[in-house]
Amino acid sequence: MIRASLPVILRSASRTIPIAPNWAALRCLASSAEGSAPPAEGFMQGVATSKFIKSTKEACLSHPDLASVKTSETQKMNFFTAVNNALATALISDEKAVIFGEDVAFGGVFRCTIGLAERFGQDRVFNMPLTEQGIVGFAIGMAAVGHTPIAEIQFADYVFPAFDQIVNEAAKYRYRSGNEFNVAGLTIRMPCNAVGHGGLYHSQSPEAYFAHTPGLKIVYPRSPIQAKGLLLAAIKDPNPVLVMEPKILYRSAVEQVPVDEYVLPIGKAEVLKEGNDLTVVAWGAQIYTVELAVAEIEKKIPGLSIEIIDLRSVLPWDRDAIEKSVNKTGRLLIAHEAPQTGGFGGEIAAAIQERCFLKLQAPISRVCGWDTPFPLVFERFYAPGMVRCMEEIERRMSSPDPAAPTPNSSGEGRSHLTSKMWVHKFNKQLSRLAADGVFDEKGKSEKTMNDSFVQVCLPFASNSHLRDEYSSHFGRVRVGKVLEDLDALAGYISFLHCSGAEKPLSVVTASVDRMELLTDIPTDTDICLSGHVSYVGKSSMEVTIKMTSILPNSNISEEMMDSIDFFRKPLPAEKVSKTILLIAKFTMVAIDLATYRPSAAPQLQLCTPEEQEIHAMGERHKLRKQAAAKASLSVQAPDSAEMTFVHGLYIEYMQYLDTNGNPDPLKPKPDHIIWMKDTKQSNLILTFPEDRNVHNKIFGGHLMRLGFELGYATGAVFSKRPLQFLSLDDITFRRPVDVGSLLDLSAQVVFSKEDKMVVKVTAHILLIGQDRFLSNEFWITFAAVGMVPGQTEWMRVLPRSYDECMLYLEGKRRMEGTN
């Protein structure tokens, strides 16, 4: 690069009185330098359609920060032309202002200074040698003697050779002189952030390095209006200011921008979108990424309301605005492109945690660049894009709300998007009931079945997002997801039943007694789940939930506004099919919140003969369970017929073993026979805080879904075919799972007959230096899809030890309904 001669303005250190701005000339310059703003283009997704872009004159001038603009004239500008306009404004209004840097005389690599050298002359807009420390040192010297230097670093990645000049000289100039001298008016512009193809030397975001330095200010505009207003504010500020310009926005963002001079406040954040459930803070180009993520997640979770805040100034940053928002929402997510470790998001998280600790409903989280050098071909994986932001929002919204009444202490049933819809609806329903005084009446010893009745509608037909969440790759409903959400509903129902008791009660899931699929669940029809407490013991409650389909042309979808909804009264009978698709029975236990021990639940007041029969069925079901428990193989030995059956198994498997009990290569078993131990599948799972309930234990519904999915995978590997769920029984919760526990989840096929099989799933808690503790176990019956009787050779599981024979016998009992 060729350096221009030193401008004449540098030969004198005396101040001159700034000339009055020539607004007519400025408008002429804006028209000639910019013409019509180039169209929005580039890599940045969502900017052209962003609701945060002021594309009309009315939207522009309605911005509260632009109330002081002298004229209502605006012009269409993109980001780099707005920067150009701001620089021209500074050169016109301040005779001492000069612009310099690498290649700025002919417009710079991003054309931000195009036309300025021709307009204002080479003495005021000139090139500098390729030496960043020289550029910044020169700017400090100019500012120290009263000029207004606007230095450009060609890429923010190149600023590090000037680090000492910025951090040790510019930032400390006022302090070390006791305010006798300063470098007021020093502005350093630098294009930053990813651009789609910049690689490791043209994509960095170095704001955190400088945010650690008192004496500096850092601004981060997101749009043309912000770029002009913050740049002019930086030029006029009595402190050195770094202006970080997201270069991906130079040609992507287009707005109507006031032509006259205006400034935007440094140190003040802007609430771009108000919300009540989560606060998202970002700055620069990341604003548009989180806007897309929030829009998508709010489509999938109707009723969810997320607040978006543009920080605008990294230093100083607006603590009060974010504190106010987080106190309202209870959750905070921070997104920025810089690496997470040492990123500025960590400073925000620490400060807000100190100020809002008692209001936080979930851990503060960050979505940032990875702790690696910025990659070239993997840039889209490195940058915190829309999908990563959505996933983190889901995790934050899945954390329990400690202030809200909790439907189910054993597990509200978090199934990512869908369960969040349920929990969000639960909290709104409970708040509404509390406002109606439902929980005010204490000491109620009896409740009716109608008191706990809830009907849930799932509009698969009208809500494609919901349908996709519940559908598997084979076009079937994901039963594990249904199971998890049924646990949430059972908790909500039993919580309603316990409301109004003499002392505060919570509920936990003790077991899932039975869940049976009576016919295929359609994914193209609106579904209705209805349930209530059907039997009450001393502290236990049986909750029965049935799934039916909503008849076509019933107009239910319109009433539901295309989202999951809850009804405390039954839907009209003519709108709901009489065919039951699925039936499930949960045993819930009332817990005294003072002692965390079982407590007496309100008894049922039976109002009709039908309710008396339902309650009698619950009593009979309880007696059958007790009898089955006494007759289980863990308590009693098999009867004579079963022992004969086990002996036959022994004779069969011994013919394939040698004298040492190992498979005999000379007598191989048929290919369609698989040893039981060879069907076992295991998975180690570390439990995380986002899967906890209000008692700081892992959700029961979450464990059920994980177990069911592993059981399905085990059966599918065994049969080599997709599976059809038939029934599930005796999911027992033997021990609560603490947050951070390591779970050994295992499943194996224990019995098979023709196209059907029984899979046993167990979850053990692993503790270092201690024994394994059984947490959960349950039994699932599947049928293999696509097997034709008489034409297909069935896969068959075969035990080869006494313990496995007992498992085989237990599976046989459950399939044949004898236990």
Side-chain angles (χ1 to χ4, degrees):
M1 301 180 187
I2 301 175
R3 175 180 177 178
S5 59
L6 286 175
V8 176
I9 195 170
L10 296 182
R11 298 173 187 166
S12 171
S14 61
R15 281 194 176 272
T16 59
I17 300 175
I19 60 175
N22 185 339
W23 297 115
L26 179 60
R27 296 186 189 103
C28 179
L29 174 66
S31 300
S32 62
E34 297 144 12
S36 296
E41 58 183 66
F43 172 74
M44 189 66 194
Q45 183 184 15
V47 180
T49 57
S50 171
K51 294 181 180 179
F52 304 151
I53 291 292
K54 311 299 181 184
S55 56
T56 66
K57 177 180 178 180
E58 292 73 19
C60 167
L61 297 177
S62 66
H63 195 289
D65 288 337
L66 299 181
S68 61
V69 176
K70 297 179 181 178
T71 175
S72 61
E73 183 178 349
T74 64
Q75 185 171 334
K76 185 178 180 181
M77 302 182 194
N78 63 18
F79 198 101
F80 90 79
T81 50
V83 171
N84 183 284
N85 185 265
L87 294 174
T89 302
L91 291 173
I92 289 177
S93 61
D94 185 354
E95 192 180 51
K96 290 272 189 174
V98 291
I99 300 171
F100 52 88
E102 297 164 4
D103 300 327
V104 299
F106 66 83
V109 294
F110 295 108
R111 324 312 291 163
C112 291
T113 55
I114 189 169
L116 298 182
E118 293 80 1
R119 172 69 181 178
F120 296 97
Q122 292 289 329
D123 285 342
R124 301 191 68 191
V125 182
F126 54 92
N127 291 334
M128 289 286 282
L130 206 161
T131 167
E132 283 73 21
Q133 61 267 50
I135 294 172
V136 174
F138 184 63
I140 293 172
M142 288 192 67
V145 295
H147 294 289
T148 308
I150 307 168
E152 177 184 300
I153 303 297
Q154 198 169 76
F155 286 87
D157 313 61
Y158 301 167
V159 76
F160 298 110
F163 195 82
D164 178 66
Q165 293 288 334
I166 296 173
V167 170
N168 278 333
E169 302 299 334
K172 298 174 174 61
Y173 209 90
R174 184 192 302 274
Y175 181 81
R176 71 175 185 172
S177 69
N179 202 28
E180 289 292 324
F181 309 104
N182 61 70
V183 286
L186 171 59
T187 303
I188 304 173
R189 295 178 45 248
M190 58 185 80
C192 61
N193 294 162
V195 72
H197 49 263
L200 69 167
Y201 290 134
H202 299 82
S203 306
Q204 297 179 70
S205 306
E207 64 269 13
Y209 291 103
F210 299 103
H212 192 64
T213 306
L216 295 178
K217 291 188 177 182
I218 305 170
V219 297
Y220 232 113
R222 72 172 184 274
S223 69
I225 292 175
Q226 302 291 318
K228 179 176 179 179
L230 288 174
L231 179 53
L232 287 173
I235 294 170
K236 293 176 177 293
D237 198 275
N239 299 281
V241 183
L242 308 184
V243 181
M244 318 285 284
E245 299 170 2
K247 53 185 172 288
I248 198 172
L249 298 179
Y250 277 141
R251 290 171 173 77
S252 297
V254 176
E255 283 186 312
Q256 289 290 333
V257 181
V259 175
D260 292 349
E261 182 177 12
Y262 65 93
V263 296
L264 295 176
I266 295 178
K268 182 181 178 183
E270 181 180 0
V271 178
L272 299 177
K273 176 183 177 296
E274 293 190 351
N276 298 312
D277 298 319
L278 170 71
T279 300
V280 179
V281 174
W283 49 91
Q286 191 66 28
I287 284 292
Y288 303 105
T289 300
V290 300
E291 182 189 16
L292 291 173
V294 166
E296 189 66 23
I297 209 79
E298 287 184 340
K299 288 179 184 176
K300 293 187 176 183
I301 309 180
L304 185 64
S305 174
I306 298 177
E307 187 150 296
I308 300 177
I309 296 180
D310 180 7
L311 196 63
R312 294 202 296 189
S313 296
V314 172
L315 193 68
W317 64 282
D318 195 346
R319 289 171 173 80
D320 293 339
I322 300 177
E323 177 186 1
K324 179 181 177 182
S325 176
V326 174
N327 280 335
K328 175 177 64 173
T329 65
R331 292 175 170 88
L332 173 61
L333 184 148
I334 307 154
H336 59 69
E337 282 191 20
Q340 176 166 305
T341 300
F344 195 70
E347 170 63 24
I348 298 174
I352 296 303
Q353 186 270 346
E354 290 177 359
R355 292 182 170 211
C356 306
F357 181 74
L358 296 179
K359 293 294 184 70
L360 288 174
Q361 300 172 11
I364 297 173
S365 60
R366 292 172 286 167
V367 184
C368 312
W370 304 114
D371 290 339
T372 69
F374 204 103
L376 178 59
V377 295
F378 297 118
E379 179 172 310
R380 286 180 181 266
F381 298 97
Y382 178 93
M386 181 182 75
V387 173
R388 283 177 58 195
C389 291
M390 285 182 61
E391 290 174 346
E392 194 58 36
I393 291 173
E394 293 173 35
R395 280 192 283 270
R396 290 311 104 208
M397 296 312 302
S398 300
S399 298
D401 180 352
T406 307
N408 185 355
S409 289
S410 78
E412 286 166 320
R414 186 190 67 83
S415 180
H416 298 292
L417 291 177
T418 307
S419 285
K420 170 54 200 160
M421 293 188 226
W422 290 50
V423 174
H424 187 72
K425 291 282 187 178
F426 287 160
N427 290 337
K428 286 198 170 184
Q429 285 278 349
L430 292 171
S431 299
R432 200 154 42 231
L433 293 173
D436 293 340
V438 172
F439 305 135
D440 293 342
E441 186 179 356
K442 300 296 182 183
K444 295 186 68 173
S445 59
E446 289 189 346
K447 287 290 193 73
T448 67
M449 291 187 182
N450 282 335
D451 288 336
S452 62
F453 179 85
V454 175
Q455 201 159 41
V456 182
C457 296
L458 305 176
F460 290 162
S462 53
N463 190 321
S464 60
H465 291 296
L466 185 67
R467 184 168 60 249
D468 292 343
E469 284 296 317
Y470 271 89
S471 299
S472 69
H473 294 297
F474 303 108
R476 296 178 180 273
V477 168
R478 295 171 55 194
V479 179
K481 197 173 190 65
V482 172
L483 175 62
E484 185 177 28
D485 291 336
L486 286 177
D487 183 58
L489 183 57
Y492 180 62
I493 290 170
S494 54
F495 184 86
L496 287 177
H497 179 80
C498 290
S499 64
E502 291 185 3
K503 50 189 175 183
L505 298 178
S506 182
V507 291
V508 297
T509 305
S511 66
V512 182
D513 300 329
R514 183 76 174 173
M515 186 170 87
E516 187 171 3
L517 185 69
L518 304 179
T519 185
D520 279 347
I521 303 173
T523 58
D524 57 354
T525 303
D526 294 338
I527 297 298
C528 175
L529 290 169
S530 58
H532 58 83
V533 173
S534 52
Y535 172 79
V536 177
K538 184 177 180 181
S539 62
S540 64
M541 296 160 281
E542 179 190 77
V543 175
T544 301
I545 302 174
K546 297 178 182 179
M547 175 186 287
T548 55
S549 59
I550 297 175
L551 297 174
N553 303 319
S554 61
N555 297 322
I556 294 294
S557 296
E558 295 179 9
E559 296 176 18
M560 291 188 296
M561 298 176 64
D562 200 28
S563 68
I564 287 181
D565 211 345
F566 293 74
F567 299 91
R568 293 300 311 280
K569 294 182 180 180
L571 294 172
E574 65 272 11
K575 295 187 177 184
V576 181
S577 170
K578 292 182 172 60
T579 302
I580 298 175
L581 307 176
L582 178 147
I583 187 168
K585 289 183 179 292
F586 288 73
T587 297
M588 315 299 292
V589 176
I591 298 294
D592 187 340
L593 286 176
T595 63
Y596 287 97
R597 298 184 63 82
S599 179
Q603 292 299 302
L604 271 177
Q605 179 182 354
L606 307 176
C607 303
T608 65
E610 182 183 3
E611 290 182 357
Q612 293 175 356
E613 177 59 26
I614 292 173
H615 193 268
M617 289 176 59
E619 179 70 28
R620 292 194 292 270
H621 178 69
K622 179 181 179 180
L623 295 175
R624 281 197 301 269
K625 281 182 59 182
Q626 292 173 345
K630 292 178 180 179
S632 71
L633 292 175
S634 62
V635 177
Q636 290 187 1
D639 59 27
S640 58
E642 290 176 331
M643 287 301 297
T644 302
F645 176 78
V646 170
H647 182 70
L649 286 176
Y650 175 80
I651 296 299
E652 181 179 6
Y653 73 68
M654 284 301 295
Q655 65 179 312
Y656 303 121
L657 303 180
D658 59 20
T659 55
N660 295 321
N662 298 318
D664 191 342
L666 300 179
K667 295 181 290 183
K669 61 177 179 56
D671 291 339
H672 72 281
I673 293 179
I674 299 177
W675 296 119
M676 184 184 291
K677 65 176 295 186
D678 293 337
T679 69
K680 188 171 184 178
Q681 304 283 338
S682 297
N683 192 9
L684 286 178
I685 296 172
L686 183 64
T687 58
F688 291 96
E690 54 260 35
D691 300 317
R692 74 191 190 282
N693 59 34
V694 292
H695 301 306
N696 213 31
K697 306 296 182 182
I698 298 302
F699 287 128
H702 177 66
L703 297 174
M704 282 190 265
R705 178 174 62 83
L706 295 177
F708 185 92
E709 290 172 351
L710 181 62
Y712 181 96
T714 301
V717 170
F718 167 75
S719 64
K720 301 178 182 178
R721 284 174 170 80
L723 302 182
Q724 169 73 54
F725 166 74
L726 296 179
S727 65
L728 179 153
D729 57 1
D730 282 355
I731 299 182
T732 53
F733 292 82
R734 302 183 183 275
R735 185 186 180 100
V737 179
D738 292 323
V739 174
S741 297
L742 184 63
L743 285 181
D744 179 10
L745 202 63
S746 62
Q748 66 181 139
V749 179
V750 297
F751 180 75
S752 63
K753 183 178 180 181
E754 296 183 340
D755 62 332
K756 299 180 179 61
M757 70 197 74
V758 176
V759 178
K760 182 183 180 183
V761 182
T762 58
H764 287 86
I765 304 171
L766 303 182
L767 298 177
I768 298 175
Q770 300 184 43
D771 294 334
R772 295 154 51 96
F773 295 96
L774 180 62
S775 169
N776 304 85
E777 65 176 11
F778 46 104
W779 306 76
I780 316 169
T781 303
F782 293 108
V785 176
M787 288 188 170
V788 181
Q791 300 180 17
T792 307
E793 190 171 30
W794 313 107
M795 304 300 294
R796 179 164 173 251
V797 66
L798 187 65
R800 68 184 221 199
S801 68
Y802 179 79
D803 289 342
E804 288 186 352
C805 284
M806 292 299 101
L807 278 177
Y808 191 92
L809 183 58
E810 183 71 24
K812 180 175 182 293
R813 283 184 175 186
R814 291 178 184 277
M815 181 178 288
E816 295 175 353
T818 58
N819 191 10

